Amino acid sequence: RKEVEQDPGPFNVPEGATVAFNCTYSNSASQSFFWYRQDCRKEPKLLMSVYSSGNEDGRFTAQLNRASQYISLLIRDSKLSDSATYLCVVNEGGSYIPTFGRGTSLIVHP
Amino acid sequence: DADVTQTPRNRITKTGKRIMLECSQTKGHDRMYWYRQDPGLGLRLIYYSFDVKDINKGEISDGYSVSRQAQAKFSLSLESAIPNQTALYFCATSDPRTGSYEQYFGPGTRLTVT
């Protein structure tokens, strides 16, 4: 089975903190990469795609390191509403079938 | 209205019963997927379909079957439910023709097999 590994956490941080998650993948032929957010008992929703050059969306920054086969998500100035599980998703080349990591739980407290 | 819908949203059934979970989408996407999610195990792919005539097994297809009745409908069946099929089931769609491989998920079906 092609592996996508994440630290399950939970990461417990105060409001305003900066927190970073990493995700490693085993298939060097992987072509596209994503971070999804999942609230408790809800469906996953795309947070951001991860591009080779790195990309930023407001307080969120995603980076890809192909040589070391990992992607990262950095959240700055954490909000209470950022509390959720963050899923790393890797699509293998060719058919682009997604493989999901098990998720990293983030709890932001006052 | 939601673009990807699933019915039922919750279901309790007994061991040995046949059950069908249904998924419909209005996004016009060709690709549809069925996943199950168990606590601590993330989402695992059961079956996927790239179009009406193209259905493929995923990582954990044993004990499940699917039917792609139309571009918009993709059903998952458990022919003889067993307790370890208790899980949260998600349907998803995607359309690479848009230039994105983003997956759009339905709200999920919570299935309990007693």
Side-chain angles (χ1 to χ4, degrees):
Chain A
R1 174 172 184 251
K2 299 179 178 63
E3 298 291 337
V4 176
E5 301 287 346
Q6 294 182 250
D7 180 345
F11 286 65
N12 202 321
V13 303
E15 275 187 290
T18 295
V19 62
F21 310 137
N22 283 336
C23 167
T24 60
Y25 60 95
S26 62
N27 184 2
S28 59
S30 298
Q31 293 291 340
S32 54
F33 310 87
F34 306 88
W35 284 102
Y36 280 71
R37 172 192 169 126
Q38 185 176 24
D39 293 299
C40 187
R41 297 174 177 265
K42 300 285 190 179
E43 70 272 25
K45 293 184 179 179
L46 181 69
L47 177 65
M48 57 197 307
S49 302
V50 187
Y51 303 119
S52 297
S53 57
N55 48 300
E56 184 173 315
D57 182 3
R59 298 181 293 108
F60 298 85
T61 300
Q63 294 196 317
L64 167 64
N65 186 317
R66 285 190 182 273
S68 300
Q69 295 184 200
Y70 76 84
I71 67 174
S72 64
L73 178 67
L74 180 76
I75 305 174
R76 291 181 298 277
D77 188 22
S78 298
K79 311 291 185 190
L80 296 176
S81 57
D82 293 335
S83 297
T85 297
Y86 291 83
L87 304 173
C88 170
V89 182
V90 174
N91 284 5
E92 67 180 63
S95 60
Y96 289 86
I97 300 301
T99 300
F100 283 75
R102 297 183 181 191
T104 297
S105 175
L106 172 65
I107 301 170
V108 182
H109 60 81
Chain B
D1 288 340
D3 294 322
V4 184
T5 57
Q6 294 184 233
T7 56
R9 294 294 311 278
N10 290 281
R11 180 72 181 268
I12 300 173
T13 192
K14 294 183 183 298
T15 297
K17 294 292 188 181
R18 183 179 187 275
I19 183 168
M20 179 182 288
L21 309 182
E22 300 193 8
C23 176
S24 294
Q25 53 115 346
T26 58
K27 299 187 76 65
H29 288 175
D30 285 333
R31 297 189 177 194
M32 297 187 74
Y33 309 78
W34 274 105
Y35 296 90
R36 66 176 281 175
Q37 186 172 37
D38 300 273
L41 293 181
L43 276 79
R44 292 182 291 167
L45 185 62
I46 306 172
Y47 270 94
Y48 61 99
S49 170
F50 284 177
D51 64 40
V52 175
K53 297 181 180 179
D54 182 9
I55 294 177
N56 305 277
K57 293 183 178 180
E59 178 189 352
I60 53 163
S61 59
D62 287 349
Y64 301 95
S65 62
V66 290
S67 172
R68 185 82 184 264
Q69 301 96 322
Q71 187 205 38
K73 296 183 182 296
F74 193 33
S75 300
L76 177 72
S77 293
L78 288 68
E79 296 300 325
S80 180
I82 55 177
N84 77 359
Q85 291 178 313
T86 293
L88 182 56
Y89 289 84
F90 287 107
C91 173
T93 74
S94 70
D95 190 352
R97 294 173 301 175
T98 65
S100 168
Y101 290 91
E102 177 181 355
Q103 299 229 314
Y104 296 84
F105 286 84
T109 294
R110 187 164 298 278
L111 176 65
T112 303
V113 183
T114 62

